[in-house]
Amino acid sequence: MTPQAKLVFVMSLLLGTTLTISSNHWIMAWAGLEINTLAILPLISKSHHPRAIEAATKYFLTQAAASALVLFSSMTNAWHTGQWDITQLTHPMSCLILTSAIAIKLGLAPFHFWFPEVLQGSPLTTGLLLSTIMKLPPISLLFMTSPSLNQTLLTCMAVISTALGGWMGLNQTQIRKILAFSSISHLGWMAIIISYSPKLALLSFYLYVLMTTAVFLTLNSINTLKLSTLMTTWTKTPTLSAMLMLTLLSLAGLPPLTGFLPKWLIIQELTKQDMALTATAISLLSLLSLFFYMRLAYCATITLPPHTTNHMKQWHINSPTNTTIAILTTMSTMLLPISPMLSTML
């Protein structure tokens, strides 16, 4: 892929995202979602590998179906209310359809099956875009329509997402699939709180983007895609391995790292909403994902395979990203002291 083509696709991604998050009209939001979908497809399939083509096809079919549901929901609401304003979603059936459509776009359970397969067939840089910037438009639509959403449906999908994200990631050896199930689990935490505190859901999303970006850039620098390759990183790149370990533990939500902050605030808000049982359930279910985070951190730091092959010794360190990784890792681990300020803002 030429640099000019890559620039066009990246600019189209930024255009589609900006169009969706800044529009008040359903047609403009739908157009932004479509631009995003069409722009990311060449980036997924640029390697011309059969797995990449399969991932692009799955992504296109899933996102096209979700976009059609978004358009159908907005048309149904406009038919009954006479207006196309995003914040005026009042028809009950439209709210239900929109909640399901955005769940498909985000990859919330039980509509999560496409996301691990697409991420597995994509390069690490494209996987970073799929896990971060491609989630922003659907999250923005959830934020703008949060007073009208079906809270019961969202809560059920959030709990199922947290459970499946942890459970299905236990036996994975491919790091991209593990990160995909990690994303599903984190989206469950955002979905469960967005109806009660939309700003807190956005804060959780921003911190998730910060930590996930650090993980993907570190993995891209050490050129590793599976656990067996990750085991050789400690002797070759100890600094990057230590950064990766800290960021993974932060993603797991262990105090006193940054990842503990959104979970702490979400549990506190759920308790205020008389949902202590739900908060307890989602906290216990997150222990499932803690296992594979700990396994990744263990493999990245203190484990070596018994028979190291020459293929495992081929490392390609991308030194210009080291400063960026260091900054992102520092922010991913040391933002917990600002929690009193964030609590007052929320």
Side-chain angles (χ1 to χ4, degrees), residues 148-174:
S148 307
L149 295 176
N150 191 315
Q151 296 180 0
T152 304
L153 179 60
L154 265 182
T155 302
C156 292
M157 288 193 296
V159 173
I160 296 174
S161 297
T162 309
L164 284 177
W167 186 263
M168 297 183 69
L170 293 178
N171 61 344
Q172 300 295 329
T173 58
Q174 298 292 327

Side-chain angles (χ1 to χ4, degrees), residues 28-345:
M28 297 300 293
W30 171 80
L33 294 174
E34 289 299 307
I35 292 174
N36 262 2
T37 301
L38 294 177
I40 197 69
L41 289 175
L43 298 178
I44 297 175
S45 58
K46 66 180 180 180
S47 64
H48 301 292
H49 190 273
R51 184 179 290 275
I53 303 300
E54 178 187 356
T57 304
K58 289 180 178 178
Y59 185 81
F60 172 73
L61 294 176
T62 307
Q63 297 299 309
S67 297
L69 286 177
V70 169
L71 193 59
F72 179 68
S73 170
S74 59
M75 291 177 63
T76 304
N77 186 71
W79 179 270
H80 288 276
T81 62
Q83 46 80 32
W84 290 85
D85 193 354
I86 291 180
T87 58
Q88 301 299 321
L89 189 70
T90 56
H91 191 256
M93 183 57 66
S94 299
C95 297
L96 185 64
I97 296 174
L98 181 73
T99 305
S100 303
I102 296 182
I104 295 174
K105 279 198 163 291
L106 287 173
L108 282 172
F111 309 109
H112 66 285
F113 298 101
W114 64 272
F115 188 56
E117 299 297 327
V118 171
L119 207 62
Q120 177 63 25
S122 306
L124 278 173
T125 51
T126 307
L128 174 60
L129 294 177
L130 287 170
S131 301
T132 55
I133 192 172
M134 295 301 292
K135 305 288 187 184
L136 183 56
I139 287 286
S140 301
L141 290 179
L142 278 181
F143 179 82
M144 288 185 283
T145 59
S146 56
S148 307
L149 295 176
N150 191 315
Q151 296 180 0
T152 304
L153 179 60
L154 265 182
T155 302
C156 292
M157 288 193 296
V159 173
I160 296 174
S161 297
T162 309
L164 284 177
W167 186 263
M168 297 183 69
L170 293 178
N171 61 344
Q172 300 295 329
T173 58
Q174 298 292 327
I175 297 179
R176 283 172 294 183
K177 279 196 174 183
I178 293 176
L179 292 177
F181 290 119
S182 165
S183 175
I184 293 170
S185 178
H186 279 86
L187 285 171
W189 282 86
M190 300 172 208
I192 202 170
I193 200 62
I194 196 163
S195 297
Y196 305 102
S197 179
K199 292 182 179 179
L200 180 53
L202 279 185
L203 172 66
S204 303
F205 176 74
Y206 295 148
L207 292 178
Y208 163 74
V209 167
L210 176 68
M211 295 180 288
T212 302
T213 303
V215 171
F216 270 98
L217 290 181
T218 306
L219 292 173
N220 190 47
S221 294
I222 62 181
N223 192 27
T224 181
L225 298 174
K226 50 187 178 180
L227 289 179
S228 59
T229 312
L230 187 64
M231 291 178 183
T232 62
T233 58
W234 179 247
T235 56
K236 302 296 181 181
T237 56
T239 304
L240 287 177
S241 298
M243 290 181 178
L244 180 61
M245 179 195 68
L246 289 174
T247 312
L248 288 170
L249 294 179
S250 184
L251 264 177
L254 292 180
L257 303 176
T258 302
F260 176 65
L261 172 59
K263 294 186 176 181
W264 176 21
L265 296 177
I266 288 174
I267 292 173
Q268 184 179 15
E269 183 64 28
L270 288 175
T271 307
K272 291 179 182 178
Q273 299 291 335
D274 295 329
M275 298 177 65
L277 185 61
T278 306
T280 304
I282 200 172
S283 302
L284 293 176
L285 289 172
S286 66
L287 294 177
L288 293 171
S289 56
L290 175 63
F291 175 81
F292 60 74
Y293 286 125
M294 294 293 291
R295 184 173 62 175
L296 282 174
Y298 182 82
C299 291
T301 51
I302 56 177
T303 304
L304 280 177
H307 304 290
T308 305
T309 62
N310 289 329
H311 174 70
M312 295 180 181
K313 296 178 181 178
Q314 296 176 2
W315 301 101
H316 308 282
I317 306 303
N318 192 2
S319 56
T321 61
N322 287 345
T323 304
T324 305
I325 293 172
I327 295 173
L328 291 174
T329 303
T330 303
M331 296 177 66
S332 299
T333 55
M334 298 185 179
L335 292 185
L336 190 63
I338 69 172
S339 55
M341 180 185 67
L342 294 176
S343 299
T344 57
M345 293 173 59

Side-chain angles (χ1 to χ4, degrees), residues 12-33:
S12 298
L13 279 177
L14 296 177
L15 172 63
T17 302
T18 306
L19 191 63
T20 300
I21 66 178
S22 61
S23 59
N24 289 323
H25 197 284
W26 275 113
I27 296 297
M28 297 300 293
W30 171 80
L33 294 174

